[in-house]
Amino acid sequence: MATYTQILYHIVYGTKDHQGTLDLECHDNLCRYTAGILRNKNCVVYKVGGYVDHLHILTSLHPSLALADLIKDVKLGTSEWIKTDKVFLCFSGWQNGYGAFTNPVRHSFCSFHKKISQTHSIGNLYT
């Protein structure tokens, strides 16, 4: 029997001390890079977005992955990219910890879009 899961995670984590170091001019590149890391881990990425001090991710995990390990890998990968390519000059790292929430699939999409659009005036959310 094959393994089948349908668990959507809404993951949120911020910059160290919630400093607004993720300039909106380069934020789209960060979202795309984050989505690429997730895809390389065989996750299904629905949306990545956020604001100057945090990211939101809507994704489902490959059944072989542990959530904490995935988030650690995403934070390490994006930190290395940010520092190597000097994308956000004032970036000093990600906060310790994260928030992760699950909801029914239909509710997750509606909830994600509503929350993001109400709290942030950003452009597109990347998939």
Side-chain angles (χ1 to χ4, degrees):
M1 181 175 152
T3 302
Y4 175 78
T5 61
Q6 188 178 19
I7 305 169
L8 230 59
Y9 286 95
H10 180 173
I11 302 164
V12 183
Y13 58 89
T15 57
K16 188 173 184 178
D17 299 323
H18 293 282
Q19 296 175 353
T21 57
L22 307 175
D23 298 331
L24 292 179
E25 288 180 12
C26 297
H27 208 278
D28 293 348
N29 293 335
L30 174 61
C31 293
R32 281 194 277 278
Y33 194 85
T34 302
I37 292 172
L38 293 164
R39 284 191 191 99
N40 286 338
K41 298 281 186 182
N42 295 316
C43 296
V44 177
V45 182
Y46 296 98
K47 299 289 177 185
V48 179
Y51 200 56
V52 296
D53 64 347
H54 67 280
L55 282 183
H56 292 266
I57 299 169
L58 188 62
T59 188
S60 58
L61 277 59
H62 187 273
S64 66
L65 294 174
L67 179 62
D69 292 338
L70 176 69
I71 294 173
K72 178 186 74 169
D73 291 346
V74 170
K75 285 181 175 182
L76 287 173
T78 54
S79 291
E80 183 178 324
W81 172 72
I82 289 168
K83 291 175 183 177
T84 301
D85 288 9
K86 297 180 171 89
V87 181
F88 302 109
L89 297 178
C90 297
F91 179 80
S92 61
W94 297 110
Q95 73 177 65
N96 292 325
Y98 57 90
F101 312 92
T102 61
N103 288 309
V105 175
R106 184 181 302 133
H107 181 265
S108 291
F109 284 110
C110 296
S111 174
F112 185 84
H113 284 289
K114 186 176 180 182
K115 282 182 184 176
I116 297 296
S117 63
Q118 286 176 348
T119 57
H120 311 307
S121 55
I122 61 171
N124 295 328
L125 300 173
Y126 289 91
T127 56

